């Protein structure tokens, strides 16, 4: 997912193209890591001084619903990043300090055989830690 794809998708789904939305998406594109709603607000406020947390949050939720952003909870705080463009099934290692993400191309579900009582429709698996930059202090 990138800014152009995201804007196209918003248009297809009938959402208005606003400078605000585009700037939010651009921020996620520039950052390329998990960031919190308050980081988005902070980055946007110089250009949109009247912007409220609610507006940011509403837009973030829309982006998640549309699959533009993915969300996770780190340290009890919701964080967001652009959805991966890789179609192949994979998981993430996430740095708890900077939100940087590494892709892991193996899936623990492959080892998981005892599912006969359930029809499995999805799963989540995330690994948390500190990236090289953040553990060198
Ligand atoms: Zn990924
Ligand atoms: Zn880090
Ligand atoms: Zn998996």
């Amino acid at each position: 997912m990138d800014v152009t794809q995201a804007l196209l998708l918003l248009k297809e789904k009938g959402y208005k193209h606003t400078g605000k939305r585009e700037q939010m998406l651009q921020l996620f594109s520039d950052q390329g890591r998990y960031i919190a709603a308050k980081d988005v607000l902070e980055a946007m406020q110089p250009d949109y001084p009247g912007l409220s947390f609610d507006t940011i949050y509403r837009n973030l939720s829309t982006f998640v619903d549309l699959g533009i952003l993915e969300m996770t909870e780190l340290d009890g705080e919701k964080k967001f990043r652009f959805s991966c463009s890789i179609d192949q099934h994979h998981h993430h290692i996430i740095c708890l300090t900077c939100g940087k993400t590494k892709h892991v191309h193996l899936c623990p579900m492959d080892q998981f055989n005892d599912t006969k009582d359930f029809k499995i429709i999805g799963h989540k698996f995330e690994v948390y830690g500190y990236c090289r930059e953040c553990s060198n202090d």
Side-chain angles (χ1 to χ4, degrees):
M1 190 60 72
D2 60 29
V3 176
T4 314
Q5 283 175 314
L7 288 172
L8 208 68
L9 186 65
L10 283 167
K11 201 176 142 198
E12 270 169 23
K13 300 286 175 186
Y15 290 93
K16 232 177 19 184
H17 180 173
T18 64
K20 216 181 288 175
R21 287 203 174 116
E22 184 168 348
Q23 194 168 328
M24 277 177 79
L25 293 167
Q26 192 57 52
L27 176 71
F28 281 101
S29 169
D30 294 344
Q31 295 286 332
R33 60 191 178 94
Y34 273 108
I35 53 176
K38 69 170 185 336
D39 300 325
V40 179
L41 184 63
E42 235 165 70
M44 303 274 295
Q45 245 162 2
D47 293 309
Y48 300 95
L51 200 59
S52 71
F53 192 76
D54 273 2
T55 306
I56 295 283
Y57 211 79
R58 219 172 22 240
N59 276 292
L60 291 175
S61 304
T62 304
F63 294 162
V64 171
D65 289 345
L66 294 176
I68 294 170
L69 298 181
E70 42 193 271
M71 187 197 65
T72 191
E73 219 168 289
L74 304 175
D75 280 333
E77 189 176 29
K78 288 192 168 68
K79 302 220 175 172
F80 306 84
R81 74 190 277 278
F82 253 125
S83 296
C84 287
S85 327
I86 315 172
D87 287 333
Q88 200 188 354
H89 181 77
H90 65 282
H91 292 280
H92 289 151
I93 300 181
I94 303 165
C95 175
L96 291 173
T97 303
C98 69
K100 200 154 66 190
T101 301
K102 189 175 156 43
H103 297 180
V104 184
H105 289 279
L106 33 98
C107 177
M109 281 305 283
D110 296 344
Q111 315 296 322
F112 200 69
N113 299 315
D114 194 17
T115 56
K116 54 181 179 300
D117 298 335
F118 278 84
K119 182 181 180 227
I120 305 295
I121 56 158
H123 65 277
K124 279 183 179 177
F125 177 69
E126 283 180 343
V127 183
Y128 310 109
Y130 299 101
C131 73
R132 193 171 298 165
E133 283 90 76
C134 294
S135 50
N136 279 351
D137 50 351

